[in-house]
Amino acid sequence: MNRPDYRKIFVEEVRERLNRIEKELVNFEKTPFDGKVQDGLFRHYHSIKGMCASMGYQKMMRLAHTQEGLLTAIREKRLRPTEEIITVLFGALDMLKEMTDRIEEGLSIDDIDTSPVVTTLENALKGTLPEPATTPHAQSIPHIKPHSTIKVEGWIFDELLRITAGLITVFSELKESSTTPEPFTLRDSLYRFEKILKELNTHILSARLVPLSLITDGLARVVRELSRQMQKKTELTVEGAEIRLDKSILEALSDTLVHIIRNAIDHGIEPPEERLQTGKPGCGKITIRAMERKDRVIIEVADDGRGIDRERLIKKATEKGVQMARIDKMNDEEILLLVCTPGLSLKDETTEVSGRGVGMDAVRDRVLSMGGRLSVSSSYGRGTAITMELPRMASIMRVLFVEAGRERFAIPVKDVEGVMEAPVEWIEAEEVVFREQKIPARGLADLIAMPYNRSSHTMDTVVLTDGDKRCALFVDNLRDEAEVYIKPLPQPAALVKGVIGYMVGADGRPILVIDTHHVVRSIAS
């Protein structure tokens, strides 16, 4: 029965069960005598054992059977659930995950040595588990991998079928118009064709939306393992896990959240004794909140730890080459963003978890590459919050095309407050008057180190806005607007500041899309 088509179904089903086990084991540790949690875990192990038997994976079946036996003893109250036993179950779970990955890749699992884990499970069943319990897999931080298969609601297929029928009808009309051209008929058909294409695009993007819970469900395990490594106590709360994002964004977000949580536990959450001395509960809290805002999703990761010492942060930043003259001009938000300075770490010692200066700069770069924005807020002694503003769907947006230095660029229309012509004195002063207010201005050609292509004493000007800040951008020419698909920049181009992605023009040449957030903040400061 081990055919490729069956194998794919097997992998998806087992992986979903394993993810549920991981989530339930975290709950099991909190409420070890909850019969419903015990029964749920038993059913998952029993189902995996049956699926492995039907596919002929005997070694994996025996491993699942041994874990099922441990749960049976706990359910029948022959064995008391302890932290050590749950750690053993986590280690065995990781081995089941490893086997599932091997099966997905079409590799054999017969060469995997399960005997150490099976022996530990059997010792746990006998009550002869050494203190503390260790397994070959229990100490690793799990990698969060969203499912490759997307579950799509049936109504979406009904809508796609309806839209396809409409496209076929319009195609027939266009084909008929090509033989006997009627301008009004052709124009009407083209209008309906464009309308149906937009509707088709909307539904396809909707089909790609998956819940945030696909990655947040696995983060409780990450928090558990990191807390155990650092001898701390931390509890994770997730709000808004039902919010849906594009699958590609969710995949990129998984490692980003792990980075942030790693930093929160290592740098923010204090040891239990230190927390108690300062009047805090011994167990630290990390809260992930997801909120929708128009076509964007706001994800905040907040901890109630020690917060960021600004003086220490500034000292570390200057050691990494950030000029004090530049820091003196920064506001509080910009100072806190210095945690994203490459190579900077607020820890003096290097550990297996952190201290190498790799973390928040990777988070910032990943968020920017997704077309998002990152901000940091912190209250010393009370905690830190990392906020990410991300696009909800794959990046199809309306842009304004401009020319600067003989190159074309695209600016997101949602950040354009207005366009105007700037006289020469404004250009030289790098300042314009817009709606009776003076705002700073720069030439786009200056920002990209290219010469102006000026043919008059005035220049087309685009007024950009980002939150409460504004700036003006001088360009050589304004062009038209269009809805385009924005592609992420490949590495290492994704590290370039001021650009969120690119699109391909009608002539096949790439057109860079301006990061208005970076441009406005740079010019305004």
Side-chain angles (χ1 to χ4, degrees):
M1 192 173 172
N2 191 4
R3 287 166 29 188
D5 50 345
Y6 287 140
R7 187 167 65 239
K8 184 177 181 181
I9 296 171
F10 168 83
V11 166
E12 286 298 326
E13 181 67 24
V14 169
R15 188 165 280 150
E16 185 171 339
R17 296 270 182 187
L18 293 175
N19 288 339
R20 289 181 183 176
I21 288 173
E22 188 167 62
K23 183 179 180 182
E24 287 302 313
L25 280 176
V26 174
N27 293 332
F28 187 36
E29 190 166 32
K30 296 175 183 175
T31 56
F33 301 104
D34 188 329
K36 290 183 179 179
V37 175
Q38 294 176 7
D39 292 345
L41 283 168
F42 176 83
R43 283 194 296 270
H44 291 315
Y45 285 121
H46 186 75
S47 298
I48 291 172
K49 181 182 76 172
M51 287 187 283
C52 292
S54 65
M55 292 291 289
Y57 299 128
Q58 295 300 316
K59 183 172 281 192
M60 191 172 179
M61 183 203 72
R62 286 192 292 271
L63 181 59
H65 175 69
T66 309
Q67 293 170 78
E68 181 191 33
L70 197 59
L71 257 296
T72 300
I74 292 172
R75 291 172 75 208
E76 295 175 354
K77 296 181 172 53
R78 293 185 284 111
L79 187 67
R80 183 182 178 85
T82 62
E83 183 180 341
E84 289 73 26
I85 286 176
I86 293 169
T87 298
V88 168
L89 286 170
F90 271 125
L93 172 70
D94 288 344
M95 181 159 279
L96 287 175
K97 284 185 175 183
E98 181 185 338
M99 289 177 156
T100 306
D101 290 341
R102 293 280 291 270
I103 291 169
E104 184 179 33
E105 295 167 6
L107 303 174
S108 172
I109 62 172
D110 293 335
D111 58 338
I112 296 178
D113 183 12
T114 60
S115 56
V117 175
V118 170
T119 300
T120 305
L121 286 165
E122 290 173 345
N123 288 337
L125 189 57
K126 296 174 187 175
T128 58
L129 203 61
E131 303 280 348
T134 58
T135 69
H137 291 70
Q139 300 304 316
S140 61
I141 304 303
H143 175 67
I144 299 174
K145 180 182 179 183
H147 293 204
S148 58
T149 301
I150 301 176
K151 293 183 178 180
V152 181
E153 296 182 25
W155 67 267
I156 290 182
F157 290 107
D158 296 336
E159 287 296 300
L160 291 177
L161 184 61
R162 178 186 63 78
I163 292 168
T164 303
L167 283 173
I168 293 171
T169 302
V170 174
F171 175 75
S172 299
E173 293 174 359
L174 289 171
K175 189 175 180 182
E176 186 177 339
S177 298
S178 66
T179 56
T180 55
E182 289 285 341
F184 293 108
T185 303
L186 180 61
R187 188 180 303 163
D188 182 63
S189 296
L190 286 173
Y191 169 76
R192 291 201 296 123
F193 183 69
E194 181 185 26
K195 184 179 178 181
I196 293 172
L197 275 181
K198 287 182 179 179
E199 195 176 1
L200 176 63
N201 173 68
T202 299
H203 281 85
I204 289 175
L205 290 176
S206 296
R208 288 178 53 85
L209 296 178
V210 289
L212 183 63
S213 59
L214 284 184
I215 56 174
T216 56
D217 282 353
L219 289 174
R221 167 79 188 284
V222 172
V223 169
R224 178 191 189 269
E225 298 301 340
L226 286 170
S227 298
R228 281 174 58 86
Q229 283 188 19
M230 289 177 267
Q231 299 180 336
K232 297 179 180 180
K233 293 182 179 180
T234 316
E235 185 179 74
L236 176 68
T237 303
V238 180
E239 301 172 8
E242 72 283 354
I243 288 176
R244 303 172 77 86
L245 296 90
D246 186 89
K247 181 175 178 289
S248 62
I249 294 171
L250 198 73
E251 288 171 345
L253 186 61
S254 59
D255 287 342
T256 303
L257 285 174
V258 171
H259 268 303
I260 295 173
I261 286 174
R262 187 191 302 268
N263 275 358
I265 296 175
D266 195 26
H267 296 274
I269 302 297
E270 310 94 330
E273 58 276 10
E274 182 181 331
R275 293 179 61 85
L276 292 171
Q277 288 173 4
T278 57
K280 294 181 180 180
C283 182
K285 284 189 67 175
I286 295 177
T287 304
I288 298 176
R289 298 184 184 90
M291 301 154 280
E292 292 178 294
R293 185 179 296 169
K294 295 184 179 179
D295 61 342
R296 313 280 282 183
V297 172
I298 311 298
I299 299 176
E300 179 191 79
V301 184
D303 67 70
D304 67 345
R306 58 172 61 96
I308 297 175
D309 183 340
R310 285 159 177 76
E311 295 302 319
R312 182 173 173 78
L313 174 60
I314 290 171
K315 180 177 179 294
K316 290 284 187 177
T318 55
E319 289 173 0
K320 290 298 176 182
V322 181
Q323 297 297 316
M324 199 64 208
R326 179 187 160 199
I327 294 175
D328 289 338
K329 297 178 182 178
M330 291 181 176
N331 57 32
D332 190 61
E333 179 184 342
E334 291 165 335
I335 288 174
L336 288 172
L337 279 173
L338 288 171
V339 297
C340 300
T341 303
L344 185 146
S345 175
L346 292 176
K347 293 203 77 170
D348 292 324
E349 71 278 4
T350 298
T351 67
E352 291 183 5
V353 177
S354 68
R356 296 174 176 82
V358 178
M360 286 306 299
D361 59 324
V363 168
R364 178 203 57 198
D365 294 340
R366 179 58 65 90
V367 170
L368 292 177
S369 71
M370 289 188 281
R373 297 171 182 173
L374 180 78
S375 62
V376 181
S377 61
S378 182
S379 176
Y380 189 58
R382 298 181 63 182
T384 301
I386 310 293
T387 304
M388 295 170 284
E389 181 183 333
L390 301 168
R392 185 166 176 261
M393 293 185 175
S395 296
I396 291 183
M397 65 173 69
R398 191 163 190 84
V399 299
L400 169 67
F401 293 107
V402 300
E403 291 180 356
R406 303 186 187 89
E407 293 291 337
R408 281 191 299 166
F409 297 88
I411 300 175
V413 168
K414 64 181 180 64
D415 298 323
V416 176
E417 191 167 355
V419 295
M420 56 191 286
E421 281 194 344
V424 64
E425 57 267 24
W426 288 3
I427 300 168
E428 292 174 351
E430 293 190 338
E431 191 176 66
V432 303
V433 178
F434 180 73
R435 294 176 184 170
E436 300 181 351
Q437 286 188 344
K438 289 184 177 181
I439 57 175
R442 289 285 301 279
L444 179 54
D446 288 333
L447 298 178
I448 57 176
M450 295 184 72
Y452 285 108
N453 189 24
R454 193 185 307 171
S455 57
S456 68
H457 292 294
T458 62
M459 287 193 75
D460 289 333
T461 304
V462 183
V463 179
L464 304 176
T465 180
D466 178 64
D468 60 343
K469 294 186 180 294
R470 281 178 178 166
C471 79
L473 208 58
F474 302 132
V475 298
D476 295 337
N477 288 295
L478 293 173
R479 294 302 180 188
D480 55 348
E481 294 182 12
E483 286 190 350
V484 298
Y485 176 68
I486 309 299
K487 297 182 178 181
L489 289 167
Q491 295 290 352
L495 302 178
V496 175
K497 292 182 173 62
V499 178
I500 60 171
Y502 75 100
M503 58 159 291
V504 179
D507 57 0
R509 296 175 62 191
I511 300 174
L512 297 178
V513 182
I514 300 298
D515 178 2
T516 49
H517 173 73
H518 176 80
V519 169
V520 172
R521 299 284 161 170
S522 297
I523 295 176
S525 61

